[in-house]
């Protein structure tokens, strides 16, 4: 069973702090990884994708991928209350190509 | 306007009803998906279509019947559902089914389904 694991949280951080969201995956053949943000009652919206080992930065967001450790993370700098949401990690497996597997998500609260 | 639109946004149906969810994507993508999202559970992939051909049926009960008349439209026909089928049903699309590139999934706003 191909799985993507996330701590369900909630993760609580003060406004202005760095929020660190973590994800592990079991399919060693996974090549593409995605972070989505989902506000309560809304659909997931894409934040970032990452294919290569290392860091990828986009504004206040940095995605980190370590394929050897099968680990993906998302850092949110200068966290804002509007960042409070559930963050979904997803990986696209090698086998079959089209099975994007989602984690259950981590709830993040940013306290003002 | 979002690139993937779903209707209706909310649906309440009895267990003997027949209803359909509709999805349309305006992104020029070739792949479309149905996902189910229940409380506290990961997104569950239900169906995948590529160029109107179904390429994945992820052990979904036959009371859910997808239809993809063209690469821009996707339907989910619902018949004799159970209360446990109540969930958020998300339509999504991607450029294609590539392993690395072009496979970023974009979601519609979702259809909240309640079965009574």
């Amino acid at each position: 069973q191909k799985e993507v694991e996330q701590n369900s949280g909630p993760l609580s951080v003060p406004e202005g702090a760095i929020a660190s969201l973590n994800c592990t995956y079991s399919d060693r053949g996974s090549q593409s990884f995605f972070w989505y943000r989902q506000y309560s009652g809304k659909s997931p919206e894409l934040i970032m994708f990452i294919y290569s080992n290392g860091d990828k930065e986009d504004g206040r967001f940095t995605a980190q991928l370590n394929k050897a450790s099968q680990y993906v993370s998302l850092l949110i700098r200068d966290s804002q209350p509007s960042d409070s949401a559930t963050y979904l990690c997803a990986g696209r497996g090698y086998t079959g190509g089209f099975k994007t597997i989602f984690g259950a998500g981590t709830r993040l609260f940013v306290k003002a | 306007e979002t690139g993937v639109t779903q209707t209706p946004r909310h649906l309440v149906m009895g267990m003997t009803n027949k209803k359909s969810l509709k999805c349309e994507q305006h992104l020029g993508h070739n792949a479309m998906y149905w996902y189910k999202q229940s409380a506290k559970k990961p997104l569950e992939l239900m169906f995948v279509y590529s160029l109107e051909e179904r390429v994945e049926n992820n052990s979904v009960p036959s009371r859910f019947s997808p239809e993809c008349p063209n690469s821009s439209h996707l339907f989910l026909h619902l018949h004799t559902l159970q209360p446990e089928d109540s969930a958020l049903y998300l339509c999504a699309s991607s450029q294609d089914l590539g392993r690395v590139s072009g496979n970023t999934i974009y979601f519609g706003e979702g259809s909240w389904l309640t079965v009574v």
Side-chain angles (χ1 to χ4, degrees):
Chain A
Q1 177 73 19
K2 308 293 190 294
E3 289 186 347
V4 174
E5 300 283 349
Q6 294 181 258
N7 187 324
S8 62
L11 172 66
S12 184
V13 301
E15 184 175 0
I18 295 176
S20 178
L21 303 161
N22 305 314
C23 171
T24 59
Y25 59 94
S26 61
D27 182 0
R28 189 168 285 280
S30 295
Q31 298 191 3
S32 313
F33 301 89
F34 308 86
W35 282 101
Y36 289 82
R37 177 176 62 199
Q38 186 172 23
Y39 292 112
S40 180
K42 301 293 186 181
S43 63
E45 56 179 324
L46 179 71
I47 299 176
M48 294 184 69
F49 58 84
I50 185 168
Y51 304 142
S52 304
N53 270 329
D55 295 359
K56 180 181 179 183
E57 186 174 321
D58 183 359
R60 295 188 295 115
F61 299 98
T62 299
Q64 299 174 316
L65 174 60
N66 184 326
K67 290 187 178 181
S69 300
Q70 296 177 237
Y71 180 90
V72 190
S73 66
L74 180 70
L75 301 178
I76 307 175
R77 290 181 299 281
D78 188 24
S79 296
Q80 302 296 309
S82 58
D83 294 324
S84 298
T86 297
Y87 289 80
L88 306 177
C89 173
R92 196 166 183 91
Y94 179 85
T95 303
F98 41 76
K99 291 199 178 196
T100 300
I101 307 299
F102 285 81
T106 298
R107 291 175 60 200
L108 172 67
F109 287 112
V110 181
K111 298 174 291 185
Chain B
E1 179 183 333
T2 62
V4 182
T5 56
Q6 291 185 240
T7 55
R9 297 293 313 281
H10 298 270
L11 176 63
V12 179
M13 61 185 289
M15 289 190 283
T16 58
N17 290 159
K18 286 184 182 181
K19 298 286 184 183
S20 297
L21 305 180
K22 178 183 175 183
C23 176
E24 181 175 3
Q25 59 97 358
H26 313 276
L27 301 170
H29 288 170
N30 293 320
M32 295 189 77
Y33 311 75
W34 280 115
Y35 280 88
K36 175 184 178 182
Q37 189 175 37
S38 304
K40 309 289 186 186
K41 287 186 173 181
L43 283 165
E44 299 173 51
L45 178 64
M46 300 176 73
F47 302 104
V48 182
Y49 278 82
S50 175
L51 296 171
E52 302 128 56
E53 178 182 348
R54 189 191 308 179
V55 296
E56 179 73 17
N57 177 353
N58 213 28
S59 302
V60 179
S62 59
R63 57 186 183 268
F64 295 92
S65 174
E67 178 189 0
C68 187
N70 54 63
S71 59
S72 298
H73 293 85
L74 186 64
F75 294 89
L76 187 62
H77 302 301
L78 314 170
H79 177 50
T80 59
L81 296 191
Q82 304 298 311
E84 59 265 29
D85 296 322
S86 299
L88 176 65
Y89 289 84
L90 291 160
C91 176
S93 70
S94 65
Q95 180 61 50
D96 53 43
L97 299 181
R99 284 186 198 147
V100 178
S101 63
N103 55 29
T104 303
I105 289 176
Y106 296 91
F107 289 93
E109 293 291 317
S111 294
W112 287 95
L113 173 66
T114 302
V115 182
V116 298

